[in-house]
Amino acid sequence: MKAHHLYSKGKKGWGIFYRIEDCILYFTMYSVYIRRLEMTVVAFSIMFNHTHSSVLDEIQSKITLFQRQLGVSHAHAYNKEYGRKGQLWHHSYGFSRKVSAKKILSNVVYVFNNCVAGKMNRRAIDNRWTLLAYYNNPHPFSEPIVKERCSKRMRRAIKLVDICFNNDEPLSYAVQRRIFAGLNKVEREQITDYLIVKYNFLDYEALIGLYGSFEKALIAIDSTAGAEYDLDDDTGDHSCYRKMLLLTKQMFPLLSKINVEELSPQQKEQLTKAFYANIAVKPDNIKKFLHL
């Protein structure tokens, strides 16, 4: 068995995933391209400024094609949404080959545990974007959807997700605005779980094949951090980015979306002072958050 660890990091380590809409765009784009190429994904994670996945595939040319297509399409859509130009990712992609069972298992655990190592969650299964919580559970982070009791807005949102998925299309920012329009907080969580289940590409059976059962996989993930020695990862405390994001929203409540590249030098200076005063944060974290 052979596998590849796929890794993408924002330019200069800059933040990319400020909003849930950013995660949904990347996730659904990843899903569309991975299914078109019929690749097997056994681990996945989205962090503030980088992503990881473990893919069971021996064909390096297919890996390269996948990451090139995803990187170009995602950067184009992201730049258009935020009115920016130029490079988004540090490199188009990075990957390392895993040829032994031990290295594959270690890498799978490592990918899932990025959110734990980054102090985002206590367990990998508690993070929505590892997709672990969606094994045999269509609503791990929301109330169950009862279609007969859904509002008209919710039924419209479900229908729109279904249409895009059936047409093999990712959920663009424009489509997401239509999906979430008019939904209350409970409904927003429900439709998020719904679209993740719809586009979910994680191959649970392949993951179980590596460990013997899903329960044994969770035990392995919970008991060790795993390892990655072949790629330059962005380690450290990522929980500070959540705190910086919350403080930014509090200081600039009229911002419809966080676009740090449109903040003025004076606003960035205000935020920097507020971050130092209220959050245990390092200068490098602030640079990545504010794109300095």
Side-chain angles (χ1 to χ4, degrees):
M1 182 186 300
K2 296 178 183 178
H4 283 84
H5 173 203
L6 281 53
Y7 173 56
S8 295
K9 181 171 70 173
K11 175 186 175 182
K12 298 181 181 179
W14 288 350
I16 292 178
F17 301 100
Y18 291 86
R19 302 186 293 153
I20 193 167
E21 290 89 343
D22 300 328
C23 296
I24 291 172
L25 175 73
Y26 184 88
F27 165 75
T28 57
M29 280 189 163
Y30 190 109
S31 175
V32 167
Y33 287 118
I34 212 77
R35 285 184 288 110
R36 284 179 185 174
L37 292 170
E38 298 180 339
M39 297 164 65
T40 302
V41 181
V42 290
F44 181 77
S45 66
I46 294 178
M47 298 294 285
F48 172 68
N49 62 351
H50 66 278
T51 69
H52 292 275
S53 54
S54 294
V55 179
L56 299 183
D57 203 299
E58 300 182 23
I59 305 174
Q60 187 168 314
S61 60
K62 188 189 289 189
I63 298 289
T64 301
L65 175 62
F66 165 72
Q67 290 203 277
R68 184 183 297 122
Q69 289 178 336
L70 176 63
V72 171
S73 298
H74 176 262
H76 176 77
Y78 191 96
N79 284 352
K80 181 180 179 181
E81 170 71 6
Y82 290 100
R84 68 183 304 277
K85 296 181 180 179
Q87 185 179 349
L88 178 64
W89 298 100
H90 181 62
H91 295 295
S92 298
Y93 52 83
F95 62 82
S96 62
R97 198 177 188 191
K98 308 300 175 185
V99 296
S100 70
K102 182 178 180 180
K103 287 186 176 181
I104 291 172
L105 293 175
S106 181
N107 181 248
V108 167
V109 169
Y110 170 84
V111 169
F112 280 131
N113 273 325
N114 245 239
C115 60
V116 178
K119 299 182 180 179
M120 302 289 286
N121 304 92
R122 293 184 62 185
R123 301 179 67 208
I125 198 172
D126 296 331
N127 186 289
R128 176 175 255 153
W129 300 108
T130 65
L131 307 179
L132 283 169
Y134 292 92
Y135 176 71
N136 287 342
N137 187 354
H139 45 82
F141 301 100
S142 67
E143 298 177 9
I145 294 176
V146 182
K147 292 188 177 182
E148 295 78 12
R149 301 177 185 175
C150 285
S151 67
K152 185 176 180 180
R153 296 185 300 270
M154 187 65 173
R155 291 197 298 270
R156 184 184 64 235
I158 292 171
K159 183 178 180 180
L160 188 51
V161 171
D162 290 345
I163 290 172
C164 290
F165 178 79
N166 292 335
N167 289 337
D168 200 28
E169 297 173 355
L171 300 179
S172 67
Y173 287 109
V175 170
Q176 288 186 61
R177 279 188 278 274
R178 292 172 59 195
I179 289 171
F180 287 110
L183 299 183
N184 60 38
K185 186 177 180 180
V186 171
E187 291 172 325
R188 289 177 67 90
E189 290 298 318
Q190 288 177 312
I191 198 64
T192 299
D193 272 350
Y194 182 83
L195 69 87
I196 289 176
V197 170
K198 200 75 178 180
Y199 280 85
N200 195 350
F201 48 78
L202 194 67
D203 194 322
Y204 298 101
E205 291 307 312
L207 177 63
I208 289 170
L210 293 175
Y211 292 93
S213 70
F214 187 74
E215 290 70 25
K216 289 180 179 178
L218 286 184
I219 291 172
I221 293 165
D222 287 341
S223 62
T224 179
E228 172 53 66
Y229 303 104
D230 301 324
L231 293 175
D232 179 22
D233 196 0
D234 188 348
T235 56
D237 185 353
H238 277 242
S239 65
C240 66
Y241 297 121
R242 282 182 176 172
K243 298 172 184 175
M244 284 191 279
L245 182 58
L246 179 60
L247 189 53
T248 300
K249 290 180 178 178
Q250 291 173 348
M251 292 180 63
F252 301 104
L254 297 181
L255 290 176
S256 59
K257 57 188 177 187
I258 302 298
N259 185 359
V260 295
E261 294 190 6
E262 288 189 350
L263 294 175
S264 68
Q266 292 76 18
Q267 288 174 319
K268 289 188 177 183
E269 184 177 355
Q270 280 182 269
L271 285 170
T272 298
K273 291 179 179 178
F275 293 157
Y276 279 131
N278 296 280
I279 304 170
V281 61
K282 297 178 180 179
D284 189 50
N285 296 128
I286 294 178
K287 288 181 179 179
K288 292 175 180 178
F289 185 88
L290 294 176
H291 290 196
L292 299 175

